[in-house]
């Protein structure tokens, strides 16, 4: 507070030195706001799961204004030691998967970001909630909607937030398209296409193990087209149909989808046609078509920069590190009650899980599956 007073005193003296006719009080406000931000408490985060994406989030946190990496949870002692040194994490804030319930008694940690295999999310988030800490969970939030709902219920019972790592909900060009759609600049949205896929490598990795992943491409890359259809069209689907193609059953065993084409229908009459695959590269494209215009994004969900155009011209919002923006926005949700343009709460995550459950059912039965997401 002392530094803030000195700052304001200096700002006041500078203002008096100006000719009163040219002084604009509004011009001083950004500096005042910056000083205010310096006094804001950071969201103190422990990362659970120190793999490649956990590392990406840790690096992004270094760019944030309102979050701080203060703890780690991992089953690999060598990773814990490396992170302690790199990020200056005290030993008392380091845990493994067996003892992390002890965070209940650690006042230095506000939230835990769970970045582990999908099949572990439910139990780990529930334990975080019971420890009285806010839970941030990477997507998909669980392996099915029932597990996702159990996570929501546990966090509500504990009085803590449950937020899902939907980084695209804060990405500038994505938000510009949503803004244009809401303003009616595309007319009535009629059609969405989402293509999400890449060729997956190591066949022994956890993503190709049903118990850990809950499925194949759909539980990894496919969720982007599901979620993207919802925020691009601005409504939730009421039915799905789906077809699976499996050309490599040795690599993609029972319960691990290789490629799924799926279709969704919406209350307005709009439709979506999407592809989720682990067997094709160069698939990261969204296309929205309306009665008055269109939007195309390619790449649409990668780590950036996101590129695209509409019938009015290119999308040219500046690129920022997605995970850094996400973490600062989540701090604002937790501390300030901020309402994001597109939700990132547990309920948003469960909607996607209900759709994935329905897609798997449609693949199995060959029938159109009705959805009730409300």
């Amino acid at each position: 507070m002392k530094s803030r007073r000195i700052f304001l005193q200096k700002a006041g003296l500078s203002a008096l030195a100006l000719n009163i006719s040219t002084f604009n009080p509004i011009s001083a406000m950004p500096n005042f706001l910056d000083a205010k931000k310096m006094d804001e408490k950071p969201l103190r985060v422990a990362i659970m799961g120190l793999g490649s994406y956990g590392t990406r989030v840790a690096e992004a946190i270094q760019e944030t204004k309102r979050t701080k990496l203060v703890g780690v949870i991992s089953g690999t002692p060598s990773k814990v030691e490396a992170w302690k040194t790199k990020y200056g994490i005290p030993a008392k804030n380091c845990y493994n998967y067996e003892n992390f319930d002890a965070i209940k008694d650690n006042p230095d940690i506000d939230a835990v970001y769970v970045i582990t295999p999908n099949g572990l999310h439910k139990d780990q988030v529930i334990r975080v909630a019971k420890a009285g800490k806010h839970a941030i969970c990477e997507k998909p939030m669980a392996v099915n909607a029932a597990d996702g709902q159990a996570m929501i219920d546990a966090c509500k019972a504990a009085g803590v937030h449950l937020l899902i790592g939907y980084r695209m909900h804060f990405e500038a060009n994505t938000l510009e398209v949503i803004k244009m759609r809401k303003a009616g600049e595309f007319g009535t949205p009629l059609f969405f296409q989402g293509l999400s896929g890449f060729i997956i490598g190591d066949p022994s990795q956890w993503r190709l193990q049903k118990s850990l992943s809950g499925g194949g491409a759909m539980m990894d890359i496919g969720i982007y087209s599901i979620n993207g259809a919802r925020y691009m069209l601005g409504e939730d689907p009421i039915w799905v149909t789906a077809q699976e193609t499996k050309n490599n059953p040795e690599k993609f065993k029972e319960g691990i989808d290789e490629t799924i084409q799926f279709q969704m229908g919406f209350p307005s009459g709009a439709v979506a046609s999407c592809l989720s695959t682990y067997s094709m590269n160069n698939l990261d494209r969204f296309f929205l078509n309306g009665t008055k215009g269109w939007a195309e994004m390619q790449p649409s969900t990668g780590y950036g920069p996101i590129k695209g155009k509409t019938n009015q011209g290119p999308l040219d919002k500046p690129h920022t590190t997605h995970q850094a923006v996400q973490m600062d926005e989540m701090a604002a949700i937790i501390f300030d009650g901020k309402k994001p343009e597109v939700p990132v709460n547990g309920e948003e995550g469960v909607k996607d899980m209900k759709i994935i459950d329905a897609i798997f059912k449609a693949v199995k039965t060959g029938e159109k599956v009705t959805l009730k997401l409300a």
Side-chain angles (χ1 to χ4, degrees):
M1 293 299 294
K2 182 178 179 182
S3 61
R4 182 179 174 186
R5 285 196 299 269
I6 293 171
F7 174 88
L8 294 175
Q9 288 168 1
K10 289 181 178 179
L13 291 171
S14 298
L16 290 173
L18 293 172
N19 184 302
I20 192 68
S21 64
T22 61
F23 176 63
N24 180 358
I26 299 299
S27 67
M29 289 184 67
N31 288 333
F32 173 77
L33 294 175
D34 287 344
K36 182 176 183 297
K37 282 183 179 293
M38 290 171 64
D39 288 341
E40 290 176 340
K41 172 188 173 184
L43 179 68
R44 299 167 299 174
V45 179
I47 291 180
M48 179 186 296
L50 311 184
S52 61
Y53 195 72
T55 300
R56 185 178 290 273
V57 172
E59 289 298 299
I61 286 176
Q62 310 312 306
E63 303 177 26
T64 62
K65 297 177 180 178
R66 297 198 65 184
T67 59
K68 182 179 181 181
L69 176 61
V70 298
V72 293
I73 303 168
S74 174
T76 307
S78 60
K79 288 184 178 180
V80 172
E81 288 302 315
W83 282 48
K84 278 172 61 178
T85 301
K86 182 173 183 179
Y87 299 109
I89 296 170
K92 66 184 181 64
N93 291 356
C94 297
Y95 302 87
N96 58 44
Y97 296 130
E98 287 71 45
N99 68 13
F100 77 82
D101 305 273
I103 61 173
K104 179 179 182 179
D105 301 315
N106 190 335
D108 294 341
I109 297 173
D110 300 314
V112 176
Y113 196 156
V114 177
I115 313 178
T116 55
N118 310 333
L120 306 179
H121 289 177
K122 175 192 172 185
D123 290 343
Q124 291 172 339
V125 165
I126 289 174
R127 288 171 66 186
V128 168
K130 287 181 176 179
K133 305 300 181 180
H134 301 295
I136 303 171
C137 183
E138 195 45 48
K139 62 189 180 304
M141 70 181 295
V143 295
N144 55 54
D147 282 3
Q149 188 60 51
M151 294 158 65
I152 291 175
D153 294 342
C155 289
K156 284 185 176 178
V160 297
H161 284 271
L162 172 58
L163 304 175
I164 312 301
Y166 288 112
R167 59 187 168 82
M168 301 312 300
H169 292 196
F170 307 110
E171 195 280 319
N173 284 314
T174 300
L175 290 174
E176 181 65 15
V177 171
I178 293 171
K179 177 182 176 182
M180 293 175 70
R181 186 256 300 156
K182 284 186 171 182
E185 295 183 42
F186 304 129
T188 301
L190 300 173
F191 175 73
F192 171 84
Q193 182 187 53
L195 304 177
S196 301
F198 63 92
I199 298 175
I200 198 166
D202 181 10
S204 66
Q205 65 179 279
W206 70 263
R207 292 191 182 280
L208 298 181
Q209 299 176 40
K210 172 75 171 177
S211 62
L212 291 176
S213 65
M218 185 60 63
M219 294 295 291
D220 179 12
I221 194 70
I223 193 171
Y224 284 100
S225 282
I226 292 170
N227 195 250
R230 294 175 52 226
Y231 62 67
M232 294 281 274
L233 289 167
E235 54 182 338
D236 290 330
I238 54 176
W239 59 259
V240 300
T241 53
Q243 310 80 38
E244 181 178 8
T245 302
K246 186 173 289 191
N247 294 319
N248 189 347
E250 265 192 45
K251 185 174 184 178
F252 304 102
K253 302 189 184 301
E254 182 67 25
I256 300 294
D257 50 286
E258 178 181 353
T259 299
I260 293 180
Q261 298 177 73
F262 60 98
Q263 303 78 39
M264 297 184 284
F266 295 80
S268 66
V271 293
S273 177
C274 304
L275 176 71
S276 165
T277 184
Y278 267 161
S279 291
M280 288 177 265
N281 282 330
N282 308 309
L283 291 178
D284 185 11
R285 178 179 182 269
F286 286 173
F287 178 74
L288 174 69
N289 195 35
T291 54
K292 294 181 181 178
W294 52 268
E296 179 183 32
M297 307 181 76
Q298 186 175 7
S300 56
T301 63
Y303 295 141
I306 300 302
K307 297 181 179 179
K309 56 187 176 181
T310 74
N311 56 293
Q312 298 180 23
L315 295 166
D316 54 7
K317 298 295 183 182
H319 170 69
T320 53
T321 304
H322 297 175
Q323 294 80 8
V325 177
Q326 172 192 301
M327 295 308 296
D328 273 343
E329 289 291 322
M330 286 183 168
I333 292 169
I334 291 171
F335 288 144
D336 307 336
K338 183 175 181 178
K339 302 294 184 184
E341 185 70 33
V342 185
V344 292
N345 53 24
E347 288 77 8
E348 175 78 1
V350 164
K351 286 183 178 182
D352 282 345
M353 295 316 306
K354 286 181 176 179
I355 296 169
I356 289 177
D357 288 351
I359 288 171
F360 286 151
K361 182 178 179 180
V363 165
K364 187 175 181 179
T365 64
E367 299 175 353
K368 178 187 287 188
V369 178
T370 300
L371 284 165
K372 293 183 179 179
L373 302 186

